[in-house]
Amino acid sequence: MSGTFFKIKRKYLLNAVIISVAIALSVGLLAVGATMLGVKLAEVEFNPVLYLPIGLGSAIVVGAPLILFLIPTDKRLAKKLDENLALNEKVQTMIEFAGDDSSMAAIQRADTEKRLISVPFNTFNLKKWWAYVIAVVLSCAVFCTAFFIPGKEEAPVVPPTEEVFVPTDFQLKQLELLIDYVEEDADFVEVARQAVLAELEVLHEMVKSEEEYTKGEMDTAVLAAITDIHAAVDGVNSYKKIASTMLLSADENVLTIAKTLGSLSIFTVGDGFIKVGESYSDKTGQDLYDGLIVFASYFDIALTGNGVDSSDALLVALKEFPNQVRATAEIIKEDETEEVKQNRISNLFSSNENAVGRILDQISIQNDNRDERDIVVEELLDIFGLTEDDLPTAIKDKLEEENQAKYPEDKEDDKLGDGGMGSGETIYGSNDAVFDPETATHVKYGEIINQWYEEGRLNDGTVPEELKQLYLDYISYLDGNKDKFD
Amino acid sequence: MENLEKVQKFSQAVSKIKEELKKDVVGQQEIIDNVIIAIVAGGNVLLEGVPGVGKTRLVRSLGKALSLPFSRIQFTPDLMPSDVTGTNIVEKDENGKLNTVFRKGPIFANLVLADEINRATPKTQSAMLEVMQEHKVTVANETYKLEEPFFVLATENPIEQDGTYPLPEAQMDRFMFKLLMKFPKVEELASIVNMTQITMDETAEAVVDGATILEMRELASTVPVIEDVLNYAMHLVANTHPEIENTSDTAKKYIKYGASPRAAQALITCAKVRALLNGNYNVSYEDIDALATPVLRHRIKVNYNAVNDKLTIDDVIALLVKENKKLSK
């Protein structure tokens, strides 16, 4: 094929592509613009995702056949060139006789090539290109106009009016009773007590106040108070910090004790010490001495770097213990029977009158702080209609951690359970004993029920009438005697 | 390239012929071009024109320029066929023996001017048929071939209707072209008068010969025609027939009978020559359109609708061409 003809054909092909793209684009934009305009003016619902297939589909439906139509075949292009350049069918002849190797055909081709070359190449530039530009611009204008016309105004979303917190007399009374309890009866250390009271007073002021709070604001305030109460108790309970560094010890016996501290159970901790003491039962003489000395050293080291104030009572009690161990070690170097020595060691690790006893006292105090904290928190949740699920995540995670720490691995059978939702099993009350933490003894349901009843809680008007029966039923279940309070 | 030289030679030959003819014939450029086309294409021409417009002069001048033996036959009603073709005569040889010898008639030339051919009887006219078509003469069962190139240029005088015998269609069909020589323009008339004051004789000189004409004819036959142009020409001829299905409206309305296939042959053959004459190496629509009238003029007969609408044959052909152009698009 003639080189010039091929170049011209490429040019026409490019023109065809430009025209097709311009027209397809214009049609696509017009289709979308017109649809958008119609939708907005008619104020109808219309899925905006549909604009894409509308625009794309229109462009393809118009553009694809157009480009197929415009793409020049050799014959079509030859005819076009002959007409436009008045070449009297020279190009068509050249194309049709391209394979003819006769002399005349060759002369004809050469002559045509010469004539084509003489035509300025810009003759084949896209004619009336400005028309296509205008078409695209106009369609863009339609599209932009449709796009920026404001659509149907959506009705403003009116946030639901938040419920106003209207405190009931019951809530106020319960809160005041709680404050009284914390002030007079709760087993907090004084620092913690004052901190807890401060939080409860803030809530009390809010409840009493003339100012209106929304339920949300009240709930936020309660949860904030609970968080602060937890922080206050964490501030006085040092066991976690102490235990965390003790758990880094290389000594097995130190670790044994460290693991029990998280339970805050005097029994668990006490058992831990006893277990350590028993580990020396098979040692004698120098072995025994060395073992005790080494243990004391590790214990000392384990009590360092925990960040707890040196005057902290638990820390002081714990620090006293290794000194007693060393003292006992020195004593058992004396010439005594093995039985005597073992008794001394047994006393060292289990007696309530020495360091271990004081450690356990501090454990008990910190346990009380924690238990009282939980009582206060539970009451607050109850008074303000919240649940444990409403607690901040950090608090929930902490409670979970504390719960797990309560029951180290070798005490699975002592687990009391998490409380919360029951198993669904109906437990009937009995006169079996229930554990009284105040006295660390078991007391019967019946005594507690009587105490509660005698305090007049049921009949002093504190409990709403509609809830009285519920209370009675509950107590009856515990006692197994439904008719007792009729 | 050999053909390129031939093409150049062709162009030169044509230019020279035209130059020589200009010396003797004033104006009539289209006639000259068409006559040259017909000669190169190997066809015969029927020239119609009033007396004195230069028909004979043109042929004489052409004969001189082509350096071809030229003869003139003045057709009269009493002209016999043997007067045209020749006849056997009895001759005594040098020994006194009587022999039959064929005396060639005036037709035995390369270029024959058949003047006022429509004055001859049909019998004499038919004698021309074989000669014009087959370029040979048969007398007494003997066939004598005419030397190539052979070309008959016949003239008709349209105004003398008395004593004329219209040429039969079969004979008309043997003419490649029918050309109308018009009365010259005033300025041309002045040139004619001035020229003939000097001499009445033709002053053209020989510039090509018969062999050259034959070479030109062979070269022209190789000019390519694209299918579309070929179809265009075929449709043009076919659309002169009113009886054909889907024929042209013009034919249905104005034509009694249409052109024969010889018209299609003539169109293409002459178009090739015309293309080369104009410096083109392919046949175009323009060539077909330009030759439509001289090719079809004597081959189609118009009906009374055309007469009624005062349309001449040329007008009808023009309508046919216009309609054919529209149909071809």
Side-chain angles (χ1 to χ4, degrees), chain A residues 88-90 93 96 103 108, chain B residues 3 227 280-282 284-285:
Chain A
N88 289 341
E89 290 68 58
K90 283 185 185 2
T93 307
E96 194 167 316
S103 304
Q108 197 277 332
Chain B
N3 260 17
E227 201 175 322
N280 297 319
Y281 303 105
N282 60 277
S284 66
Y285 295 112

Side-chain angles (χ1 to χ4, degrees), chain A residues 64 173 269 483:
Chain A
K173 186 71 180 174
V269 177
D483 299 323

Side-chain angles (χ1 to χ4, degrees), chain A residues 331-373:
Chain A
I331 291 171
I332 60 174
K333 273 169 75 174
E334 301 289 321
D335 187 17
E336 293 176 330
T337 64
E338 288 302 320
E339 191 182 345
V340 168
K341 291 179 185 178
Q342 287 298 328
N343 279 339
R344 288 189 192 283
I345 290 167
S346 179
N347 282 338
L348 172 67
F349 282 95
S350 63
S351 173
N352 281 332
E353 290 176 2
N354 57 11
V356 171
R358 285 184 281 283
I359 291 169
L360 292 179
D361 287 343
Q362 293 307 312
I363 292 293
S364 177
I365 288 170
Q366 294 197 7
N367 184 51
D368 288 343
N369 287 336
R370 190 173 69 178
D371 284 348
E372 292 295 349
R373 175 202 73 188

Side-chain angles (χ1 to χ4, degrees), chain A residues 75 79 83 87-90 92-94 96-97 100 102-108 111-112 115, chain B residues 1 3-4 7 219 222-229 276 279-286 328:
Chain A
K75 192 171 176 181
K79 190 163 183 170
E83 283 169 6
L87 288 176
N88 289 341
E89 290 68 58
K90 283 185 185 2
Q92 290 175 81
T93 307
M94 179 182 75
E96 194 167 316
F97 287 85
D100 190 331
S102 66
S103 304
M104 185 57 76
I107 294 171
Q108 197 277 332
D111 177 61
T112 307
R115 291 187 193 247
Chain B
M1 196 185 301
N3 260 17
L4 198 58
V7 167
L219 183 69
T222 63
V223 172
V225 186
I226 60 172
E227 201 175 322
D228 282 356
V229 172
L276 266 185
N280 297 319
Y281 303 105
N282 60 277
V283 175
S284 66
Y285 295 112
E286 195 199 314
S328 71

Side-chain angles (χ1 to χ4, degrees), chain A residues 148-342:
Chain A
F148 287 110
I149 281 179
K152 186 173 154 185
E153 277 188 17
E154 286 179 7
V157 175
V158 177
T161 313
E162 218 179 325
E163 190 186 342
V164 175
F165 175 71
V166 179
T168 62
D169 289 338
F170 178 68
Q171 281 174 315
L172 186 61
K173 186 71 180 174
Q174 287 297 102
L175 187 57
E176 285 169 353
L177 286 172
L178 180 61
I179 291 171
D180 290 339
Y181 170 75
V182 170
E183 199 166 11
E184 291 163 16
D185 297 320
D187 280 331
F188 278 117
V189 295
E190 198 52 35
V191 171
R193 186 196 313 281
Q194 294 305 320
V196 171
L197 275 174
E199 294 300 325
L200 293 177
E201 285 298 338
V202 168
L203 291 177
H204 188 232
E205 284 304 314
M206 283 180 75
V207 170
K208 276 191 334 183
S209 165
E210 296 286 326
E211 191 179 336
E212 260 187 15
Y213 294 98
T214 63
K215 177 89 174 48
E217 284 170 337
M218 201 64 224
D219 291 349
T220 303
V222 169
L223 294 173
I226 290 172
T227 305
D228 290 344
I229 289 168
H230 266 266
V233 170
D234 287 345
V236 296
N237 276 7
S238 59
Y239 73 95
K240 269 191 200 169
K241 286 184 183 175
I242 295 169
S244 66
T245 49
M246 286 183 76
L247 284 168
L248 300 174
S249 177
D251 186 81
E252 282 300 319
N253 289 333
V254 172
L255 284 176
T256 302
I257 292 167
K259 282 175 190 173
T260 62
L261 286 180
S263 68
L264 273 190
S265 161
I266 57 174
F267 300 105
T268 308
V269 177
D271 286 349
F273 275 101
I274 291 171
K275 187 179 172 186
V276 169
E278 285 171 357
S279 69
Y280 295 102
S281 59
D282 57 351
K283 293 188 191 303
T284 57
Q286 191 63 38
D287 253 0
L288 180 59
Y289 174 82
D290 290 342
L292 288 172
I293 296 300
V294 165
F295 170 67
S297 301
Y298 273 114
F299 204 94
D300 270 332
I301 294 165
L303 293 176
T304 59
N306 50 38
V308 174
D309 192 82
S310 59
S311 62
D312 181 78
L314 175 59
L315 186 62
V316 167
L318 284 166
K319 279 187 175 178
E320 196 189 329
F321 177 71
N323 294 333
Q324 279 202 348
V325 169
R326 275 189 281 271
T328 304
E330 291 302 324
I331 291 171
I332 60 174
K333 273 169 75 174
E334 301 289 321
D335 187 17
E336 293 176 330
T337 64
E338 288 302 320
E339 191 182 345
V340 168
K341 291 179 185 178
Q342 287 298 328

